[in-house]
Amino acid sequence: MHYSSIFAACALPLALAAPFCTRQNNTTNGTAICDLSKVSQPANALTPPSADLRLILIAHGEGTQNYTCATPASTPSAIGAIAELYNASCAVASPNEAQNNIVQAAAIGNHFFADLTTPDFNIPGLGNTKSKKVEEVAAPNPSADVKWLRLQAQTEGSTSQVKFIYRLSTAGGLAPANCEGRAEGEVVTVQYQAQYWIYA
């Protein structure tokens, strides 16, 4: 399912309380809490979040991993990524209910690189989080999907309370094997999707 077009309607509160969903059916109370306290990450070998961290958001990202070719004979070099972010907390926490309560969803923020080594997450409901990669593991399908990452928030330049962000469940985004047929300095964009598990 592509969350850019359909998924559970979840709003991200300005406070760091659990995200909530507005259900699109005739329930008696009309709203439901998306409880992330018991949601587990997909199996992976990254260092798990410490006990003092709380999962506050699962964001679905859709965009491009970007590479550049110095010359047609070189190997593509990574120059960051750009993605729109959507609130997937309810869809992950209660997938069966989410499938029955789907609406058009708007992006809640975006992901980009402040420089070649600084992933940046701008989510107005949380603030801005500049981060650095501290760990990586191969995706379950490494021949097709970019790696899974653990990112640590940086104090300098950040305005959010976010501590760590995990990039999981990636799809696509791998660089081409070579730059053959590319112009010197050409930028190559490769579509990808991922989940970003955000902890504070």
Side-chain angles (χ1 to χ4, degrees):
M1 176 166 58
H2 293 278
Y3 290 97
S4 62
S5 56
I6 54 173
F7 69 77
C10 298
L12 182 66
L14 294 179
L16 294 181
F20 66 89
C21 296
T22 301
R23 293 184 177 176
Q24 302 300 304
N25 60 17
N26 296 322
T27 58
T28 55
N29 61 8
T31 62
I33 298 298
C34 294
D35 183 6
L36 296 178
S37 65
K38 295 180 175 59
V39 178
S40 297
Q41 290 184 0
N44 67 79
L46 294 167
T47 301
S50 57
D52 62 323
L53 293 175
R54 183 166 57 96
L55 179 61
I56 59 170
L57 173 68
I58 301 170
H60 175 82
E62 291 191 5
T64 60
Q65 294 287 319
N66 304 319
Y67 305 90
T68 187
C69 286
T71 70
S74 63
T75 301
S77 299
I79 55 171
I82 298 174
E84 293 290 324
L85 301 175
Y86 304 86
N87 191 335
S89 297
C90 295
V92 174
S94 303
N96 293 332
E97 291 184 14
Q99 290 176 9
N100 294 326
N101 300 281
I102 52 178
V103 295
Q104 295 293 325
I108 59 167
N110 53 67
H111 165 48
F112 56 95
F113 271 61
D115 56 45
L116 290 179
T117 60
T118 308
D120 197 307
F121 296 82
N122 186 39
I123 302 173
L126 292 177
N128 184 267
T129 305
K130 287 183 167 54
S131 63
K132 69 174 181 180
K133 181 177 68 175
V134 292
E135 194 176 1
E136 65 180 34
V137 296
N141 185 6
S143 64
D145 306 327
V146 289
K147 294 177 179 179
W148 292 16
L149 307 176
R150 184 168 69 105
L151 307 171
Q152 184 172 12
Q154 302 301 288
T155 303
E156 185 175 352
S158 295
T159 61
S160 74
Q161 297 178 43
V162 171
K163 304 299 183 190
F164 284 91
I165 300 173
Y166 288 71
R167 185 179 78 182
L168 308 172
S169 301
T170 55
L174 285 183
N178 56 61
C179 288
E180 185 177 349
R182 309 277 184 183
E184 183 175 328
E186 182 177 343
V187 173
V188 181
T189 59
V190 183
Q191 296 289 322
Y192 89 106
Q193 297 182 36
Q195 287 181 358
Y196 292 95
W197 292 55
I198 299 175
Y199 294 82

